[in-house]
Each structure stands twice: as structure tokens, then as C-alpha cells.
Amino acid sequence: MESNKLKEKIRFLAVGAAGANVAQMMEKKGYKAYYVNLAQQDLDLINSPNKLHIKNGEGASKNRDKAKEVLSESIDEVLETLENQITEKYVFTVFSLGGGTGSGDGPFLSSVIAENPEKKVGLVIILPSMEESLQTRINAYEALSEIIPLKNSFGAIFILDNNKRKDKLSINRSFAGLFDSFINIGDVPSSIHGVIDIAEQKALLETSGVAMIHKVAQNEQSNLLATINDGIYATIEPNKKIKYIGLSQPEAKEDKGAIEINSVIDVVGQPIDTYMGYGNTETVLYLGGMSFPKAYINSLADSIRKEQEKAEKAMEDDDITMDNINFLANRKSAVIEKESEKKMSARERLLASRNKSK
């Protein structure tokens, strides 16, 4: 099948523990994955030969600078290993923005792989909840500041938002199912109304900018557009900037409730082009080339600034001077100092005793 040919050309590169969780779910659906981490303990939990421990790494403890420093010590070796191990054309780097290893090393590794003209690199990045720690949110902001200037060198960027659900793992599971449904739309029988072919799927995956995949069962199509911002992704920007729309749904003649492409455009904006397909058992909507979630990024920055003064006070040295009032210890120290001054060799002690006896 054509979609299976596309699946064989895709590799998920997980950087850090959170990325590994997503990649493992993709592996269960038949995709290839590769795991990179500073922490050997995290890699030991993964039942796969396709993993790399960054030399001298013991974990990053949410320290992005530490993750970069450790990686820099063996960067040539790491890049050579990735080049030899990841031969697929489509590479989706998966990592959390709030942690240490993924947030610190994920953007850089993605950008280096993307320099290869034979590779198409996409991202699956995970936004932290606004309820998470200050350090986690600062990490996310800094990681985004590195990714956004490079966005045009990447293909599709899927932004999973941990603010959308309390159960973070369910977000990862949902993404795995959505991505797989999009890849599998090529498995439907040919329709006289047309299908989204593998070339169009590739075009969507290669389109730079923020991407989303949504789907509903055949009898739930009317709910699709109303729930676009209630899914697992960061809320789309209201500017309605979008490059491409892909819509695959059941045969129009069998389902009077088929979604009209104009109703999608009314919600997300006018694209450069649309790809339409029919004959699927469910409705799958792909939105590609959208803007980064500026509203979320601004909220993230505001939440950090609100805690800045409090954090700086916690980190500054207290202006307290302590006197040394332990006179007993002082006396002992003085005795020790005098004794050390008088400390003599065995010969000197012998001569001293001899002189005393005279």
C-alpha cells in the first residue's frame, strides 16, 4: 500500500524522556524510532536496540546549559551515529520544551539534521502546563526562542499542549493515533471523487509551520470544526494564516453530512491549496503551515515575569553578617596553632629533652 511506503520513510527521533514516551507509542503502531538521552536510566527503560547514551551524561536535571555542554563534548560522535543510524528521509524529532535534555539538545540536533538536503525534518514538541515550575516554563520559552527563527528550515511542527488535559500521556496517545490515521488515508480504495495521494501527503508533511491533525468518526463529522481548538494542540492563532488543508472523509454520496471545504476555510483561513479525498471510514483533517501560538508564548512570558521578583529574592544572598562566638573552639584552635608552631622532629624533641636534663 502507498501509505505503508510512506511509513517506511519516517523515523521518530526522541530526545529526552518525554520524547521517548511519544516515540514508543509510534513504534507500537509500526513506525521506526531512535532514542537519545543523557540519562542511561531512562534509556534502560526502553526495550529497543535503537538508542544512544550521550557520553558522560547523567541526566540534565532541567538544566538546558548542562545538556548542551555535555553534548558538546561528543557532538561529532553523536552526529556521526545519527547519520549512520537514521537513513529515512522524514525525521520527526520529538522532545519536551520544559525539560533539560530534550529542551536543551532537541532544537540543535534537529537543525543540524535539517542541514542535510536529503532529509525533511519535522518536530513534535511538547508545551508544559502553566501550572508547572518556573524553571520548566523558562526552559520552554528559551527553547521556543531557538526554534522559531529556524521554523522555515523544518517541515511540519506539531505542538502538543499539556494545558489541554490533566493526563499528559493521553495527549501522547492521541497524537500517535492522529498521525497514524493521516498516514493511513492512502489505504482507502480509489474513489471516483478522488483521494489524497502519497505525493500530497508528503507535501503536507514537508510544509513549514505549525501543523495539526484532527479526526472524527463518520457519524460525528458535524463536531469536527467546532472542536478544532479543544484538542491536544496549542490553540491556533486567530490570524487565519494557513498554507494547506488536507481533508479526507467518507464518500460524499453515502454521507449527506459531508464537510464542505469552505466551512473549514471559514474557521482556519484561506490556504494556498487544498487536498481532498473520499472513501475513508473516518474524517481526517490536516492543517499545515499555520503561525506559532503567539498568545500562548505571550502568556508564558507573562507568567515568568510575574514570578521573576520572587525568584530573584529566593536566589540572592541574605545580607547577614555572623560573628564567631564559639570561644571554646577558638581556644582549641589557638592551642592547636601554638602546638603546630612548636611541632618538632624526633631529633629536635630528643635534643630538647636532653637540654632540659642539664
Side-chain angles (χ1 to χ4, degrees):
M1 295 181 179
E2 288 295 311
S3 65
N4 288 335
K5 291 181 181 179
L6 179 56
K7 180 181 287 190
E8 286 298 311
K9 296 178 180 179
I10 296 173
R11 173 84 72 156
F12 286 88
L13 171 61
V15 185
N21 181 271
V22 177
Q24 284 180 289
M25 293 180 180
M26 300 309 306
E27 270 201 295
K28 290 179 181 178
K29 294 185 176 295
Y31 296 84
K32 289 172 282 187
Y34 197 85
Y35 305 88
V36 177
N37 208 317
L38 266 70
Q40 184 63 55
Q41 295 95 323
D42 289 335
L43 289 173
D44 290 341
L45 298 174
I46 300 169
N47 184 23
S48 171
N50 302 316
K51 51 189 178 182
L52 172 65
H53 175 241
I54 298 176
K55 189 183 297 183
N56 299 323
E58 298 177 338
S61 59
K62 293 189 179 180
N63 188 328
R64 299 183 75 244
D65 291 336
K66 178 180 178 181
K68 293 179 181 181
E69 181 180 351
V70 175
L71 175 62
S72 69
E73 295 171 359
S74 57
I75 184 61
D76 291 336
E77 179 182 334
V78 170
L79 292 177
E80 182 179 0
T81 300
L82 294 180
E83 183 178 1
N84 292 334
Q85 295 294 324
I86 301 178
T87 59
E88 292 74 22
K89 179 177 181 179
Y90 295 94
V91 181
F92 282 90
T93 313
V94 194
F95 54 93
S96 167
L97 296 180
T101 301
S103 175
D105 294 340
F108 176 77
L109 290 175
S110 303
S111 65
V112 174
I113 296 172
E115 291 174 357
N116 185 340
E118 297 181 359
K119 302 285 187 184
K120 298 295 182 180
V121 178
L123 305 180
V124 182
I125 53 180
I126 305 169
L127 294 174
S129 165
M130 289 295 186
E131 297 177 357
E132 294 192 52
S133 71
L134 176 61
Q135 185 63 66
T136 299
R137 284 175 281 136
I138 289 174
N139 286 351
Y141 192 89
E142 289 183 340
L144 283 169
S145 71
E146 294 174 1
I147 292 170
I148 291 174
L150 301 170
K151 64 182 184 297
N152 291 331
S153 65
F154 300 131
I157 300 176
F158 297 96
I159 306 179
L160 311 186
D161 187 357
N162 281 346
N163 291 283
K164 292 302 182 74
R165 295 181 189 172
K166 292 292 184 182
D167 184 358
K168 300 175 184 178
L169 296 183
S170 75
I171 293 176
N172 299 344
R173 285 192 294 271
S174 292
F175 173 76
L178 291 166
F179 188 91
D180 192 49
S181 291
F182 170 71
I183 297 300
N184 289 335
I185 59 177
D187 288 347
V188 302
S190 297
S191 167
I192 59 173
H193 297 95
V195 295
I196 296 178
D197 59 36
I198 192 169
E200 292 168 335
Q201 286 179 293
K202 288 180 178 180
L204 291 171
L205 292 177
E206 293 175 14
T207 298
S208 61
V210 173
M212 292 181 178
I213 301 170
H214 298 277
K215 73 172 182 176
V216 291
Q218 182 172 346
N219 59 353
E220 299 175 344
Q221 292 183 91
S222 60
N223 298 326
L224 180 63
L225 298 180
T227 59
I228 281 181
N229 278 325
D230 296 330
I232 60 173
Y233 310 100
T235 301
I236 62 175
E237 280 296 288
N239 60 16
K240 292 191 174 183
K241 289 184 178 180
I242 185 169
K243 295 177 182 175
Y244 294 99
I245 296 174
L247 178 61
S248 178
Q249 57 188 324
E251 286 283 2
K253 64 181 181 180
E254 296 177 359
D255 190 346
K256 297 180 181 179
I259 296 176
E260 296 291 335
I261 191 63
N262 285 336
S263 64
V264 179
I265 292 173
D266 288 341
V267 174
V268 300
Q270 180 68 53
I272 298 170
D273 203 355
T274 58
Y275 302 123
M276 300 292 294
Y278 298 90
N280 209 4
T281 58
E282 56 190 2
T283 296
V284 178
L285 174 65
Y286 188 106
L287 308 175
M290 296 184 294
S291 300
F292 267 75
K294 186 176 180 180
Y296 171 90
I297 294 171
N298 289 339
S299 296
L300 185 63
D302 289 342
S303 75
I304 293 169
R305 292 190 185 100
K306 286 179 181 178
E307 295 188 39
Q308 180 178 353
E309 183 177 352
K310 185 191 300 183
E312 288 176 344
K313 285 183 177 180
M315 295 177 67
E316 69 184 12
D317 291 332
D318 292 328
D319 187 18
I320 299 176
T321 301
M322 300 294 290
D323 295 326
N324 187 351
I325 62 172
N326 191 344
F327 61 88
L328 295 178
N330 294 342
R331 179 178 176 83
K332 290 178 181 178
S333 297
V335 171
I336 292 172
E337 288 177 4
K338 289 182 180 179
E339 289 180 348
S340 64
E341 291 174 1
K342 294 179 179 180
K343 190 172 183 180
M344 300 177 288
S345 66
R347 179 176 181 275
E348 289 172 333
R349 291 201 308 271
L350 179 60
L351 292 176
S353 65
R354 186 189 63 178
N355 292 334
K356 284 182 180 179
S357 63
K358 288 185 179 179

